[in-house]
Structures are given as structure tokens and as C-alpha cells.
Amino acid sequence: MRSRYLVTTAIPGLGLPLLREAGEVTILPEAPDYETLAALCASGDYDVVLTQLRDVIDAPLLARARIRGVSNFAVGYNNIDLDAATTGGVMVANTPGVLTDATADIALLLILGTARRVVEADRLVREGRFKGWAPELMLGSDVSGAVLGLAGFGRIARAVARRAIGFGLEVIFSPRPPGDRPVSNEELGEFAGRVRQVPWDELVKRSDFLSLHVPLTDRTRHLVDAAVLKRMKPEAILINTARGPVVDEAALVQALANGEIAGAGLDVFEDEPRLAVGLADLPNTVLLPHIGSATVAVRNEMARLSALNAIAIAEGRVPAHAVNPQSWT
Ligand code: GLV
């Protein structure tokens, strides 16, 4: 029997042609709600589901599902209950590596854009309020010489560090906040002597830019809460290209409104696509619609990887980017 693929949202490039060559492909006409997706997964009509971040694959859905695996069109997989998938023998795969540089670029863009007030400045020009060069027009803060604190030190954080060193920032990091894990010089590799590990509390207190690069887990949900925001410098700027719920967004709005911190550059939100009340009214923010990986080349690569992962799973092979390879043992 030919493999059967359920694709919840059409993907670009080679993704769909690869799947069509390998089997029968069903593409849903619109993003499914939870019940629709749960019923489709339980139908026994599909071997593999190719999902997006907004598709919730939780334990109750997995308990009813008759699928071999889930291929997520993303590097993060917090939309999937991994323990339940593993217990249920459902293989999960993701698309790591290909979006590292693009996402790091967006983090840098947010650092530069918040420091130099790019959104406010652009609006001033478009609204006809630019009256010519002036000594105190749109003054921002310096990036070179500032301290960049990286929460997490995985692939994307390292790509940000590489760029930040080029921009003259001093880079410190805490590899697994809120806990600690010593990172050896060997593990630091090219960064040995160029970045410094500090405890999470020191990272919070010292950073001029605090940039988040942790996965969303029970430990990192609201990692940045009201108490952390209070410990940051008043001139500090928070950057989030990871996952919205890592920040208590209501507390962030309060901190920005009260001047507890100076600004925020966000590519992700706690309850996408909704924003916390008041966030969009704050001038000292740069807000992007979760576009960390949104380049033509990267999305094509993600499509190719997610299709290849799906095909491997459907054919009973452990995919190249299995998140829980132990699920089939
Ligand atoms: C995007 O947020 C991803 O995890 O790929």
C-alpha cells in the first residue's frame, strides 16, 4: 500500500513534490482546529502527519491517534507532547540546523532595531514629521560596547554570539537557565576566551540586551517574569526569538510601561497571534510576526527536510531528524 500523508498546511518548494512521489498526499484546505485534527489522526487513514507549530498534538489526541509519526515543520516542537508520543510509539521529527542563521539574523535585527528605534524613526518619516537633521532627533543607545546576555547556548545562541562579537558587543551567557551547567572550553570551541559563562541571576542583572534562546518547557515557561524584569537594568532591552511563553507578556507590558526596562524586540508572543493588552501601544518595542526562519531558501529547506522526515517515518525508517528515536524501540 502507498504511504499516506496528511499535510495540515501546504509547504513550499520541493516538500509536496517529494511527498507526492512517495505516496498519497492530503492537504487540508485550511488550518484544522483541534477536534478536526484529532479526528483525522484517529481515522487510520494516514501514516504520518506533517504539522505546523499551531497544530496541537497533545496526550489525548495521541491516545486516539492511529499514526506512525509526526513531522513538524519547525525546529521547536513544544506543540507536541513528546512523552505521550514516545509512550505511544509515535515518532516525532523536526527541522534543525537550516534556520539557525536566519533566526540569529532576526535576533540581531531586533537588537539593532530596538537600540536605534527603527520603528519609531520609520513612522516619523512616513508621517511627514521629519523636519531635517537635528542634534537630538531619535537618540538611541549604543550597541558596540554593550553587554549581550544569551539565555541558552545552543545553535541559535551561538550564531547570535558570532554576529554580536562582530558588532563589538561583550557576550555573556547562561547555558540552561534558570539552572546551571558548566560549559567546558572544549565545548565552547571557537568561542573560548571570547564569551563568558555567568549564573542566570548575573546574566539578568548585567545584560544591556537579554536575548532568549531556550526551548519552551515546563522549566522555561515564564522564565522572564515580573521578578526577573525587576532585576534587569532600567536601560536593558529584552529580545525574544525563541517562544512567547518564555516571557510573562503581561508582566513585560507593565515593566515597559513603568520604565523598569527600556525596550523589547519580540518575534514571538505568548498567545500567538494575539498580543498582551497594551503591548502594541508601547513605542519602545519592535514587534515581528514570528518570522525568524522566514526566508525563501530556509523555508524551502525546512519543507524538504520535513518531507524527507515524513517519508522515512512512513516507510518505517528512523528519520534523519528524529526527536524521539527511542519511540520505536
Ligand atoms: C520556528 O519557530 C521553529 O521552531 O522552527
Side-chain angles (χ1 to χ4, degrees):
M1 195 165 82
R2 275 166 72 74
S3 302
R4 300 154 310 164
Y5 302 98
L6 175 66
V7 178
T8 64
T9 302
I11 54 173
L14 279 183
L16 295 176
L18 280 169
L19 288 176
R20 288 197 177 105
E21 217 172 282
E24 303 301 327
V25 181
T26 303
I27 306 169
L28 299 180
E30 58 184 49
D33 59 28
Y34 175 79
E35 272 313 321
T36 305
L37 184 57
L40 289 165
C41 289
S43 67
D45 291 339
Y46 306 102
D47 300 305
V48 180
V49 187
L50 201 145
T51 50
Q52 304 290 324
L53 286 172
R54 61 164 179 269
D55 299 324
V56 175
I57 308 287
D58 61 6
L61 180 149
L62 286 160
R64 288 167 56 200
R66 290 158 62 205
I67 53 176
R68 299 186 95 163
V70 179
S71 173
N72 213 34
F73 184 80
V75 65
Y77 43 83
N78 52 287
N79 55 314
I80 302 168
D81 185 325
L82 199 63
D83 289 340
T86 305
T87 309
V90 172
M91 183 73 70
V92 176
N94 68 343
T95 62
V98 295
L99 46 73
T100 302
D101 284 325
T103 307
D105 287 344
I106 288 289
L108 251 293
L109 180 150
L110 289 172
I111 289 171
L112 296 167
T114 46
R116 301 302 297 272
R117 304 172 61 185
V118 70
V119 171
E120 289 173 85
D122 177 273
R123 190 171 300 146
L124 177 136
V125 175
R126 284 175 204 277
E127 292 176 356
R129 290 183 284 121
F130 178 41
K131 305 294 180 221
W133 192 92
E136 293 191 86
L137 179 64
M138 281 287 150
L139 303 187
S141 57
D142 282 321
V143 168
S144 39
V147 176
L148 169 65
L150 299 171
F153 204 57
R155 277 182 299 256
I156 296 173
R158 285 167 191 248
V160 173
R162 207 170 286 125
R163 288 157 172 72
I165 290 167
F167 272 91
L169 285 132
E170 175 189 342
V171 180
I172 56 177
F173 73 98
S174 168
R176 195 176 284 166
D180 258 335
R181 177 184 79 83
V183 174
S184 66
N185 260 353
E186 194 182 0
E187 207 185 321
L188 277 178
E190 67 175 289
F191 297 106
R194 303 169 77 203
V195 304
R196 198 163 58 80
Q197 176 170 3
V198 298
W200 168 236
D201 199 47
E202 186 180 336
L203 194 87
V204 167
K205 286 195 191 130
R206 278 207 58 211
S207 297
D208 296 307
F209 298 93
L210 178 61
S211 189
L212 307 178
H213 303 284
V214 291
L216 174 61
T217 65
D218 289 343
R219 274 172 69 75
T220 62
R221 187 174 299 276
H222 284 192
L223 174 70
V224 177
D225 60 7
V228 165
L229 289 160
K230 281 201 167 58
R231 292 206 300 278
M232 289 172 69
K233 296 181 186 174
E235 60 273 20
I237 290 175
L238 180 72
I239 304 294
N240 192 4
T241 53
R243 284 293 181 264
V246 174
V247 176
D248 178 341
E249 204 169 288
L252 174 63
V253 171
Q254 284 307 313
L256 288 166
N258 298 340
E260 284 167 30
I261 66 170
L266 308 175
D267 185 41
V268 289
F269 303 92
E270 190 164 357
D271 185 23
E272 292 174 15
R274 280 169 288 275
L275 304 188
V277 176
L279 183 60
D281 302 326
L282 294 166
N284 46 345
T285 57
V286 176
L287 309 176
L288 301 179
H290 201 150
I291 54 169
S293 65
T295 73
V296 174
V298 169
R299 289 284 162 85
N300 282 342
E301 264 308 283
M302 290 169 66
R304 196 178 66 83
L305 287 192
S306 61
L308 292 177
N309 284 335
I311 292 165
I313 296 170
E315 295 178 354
R317 290 178 281 116
V318 175
H321 303 291
V323 176
N324 59 346
Q326 72 278 21
S327 62
W328 283 357
T329 53

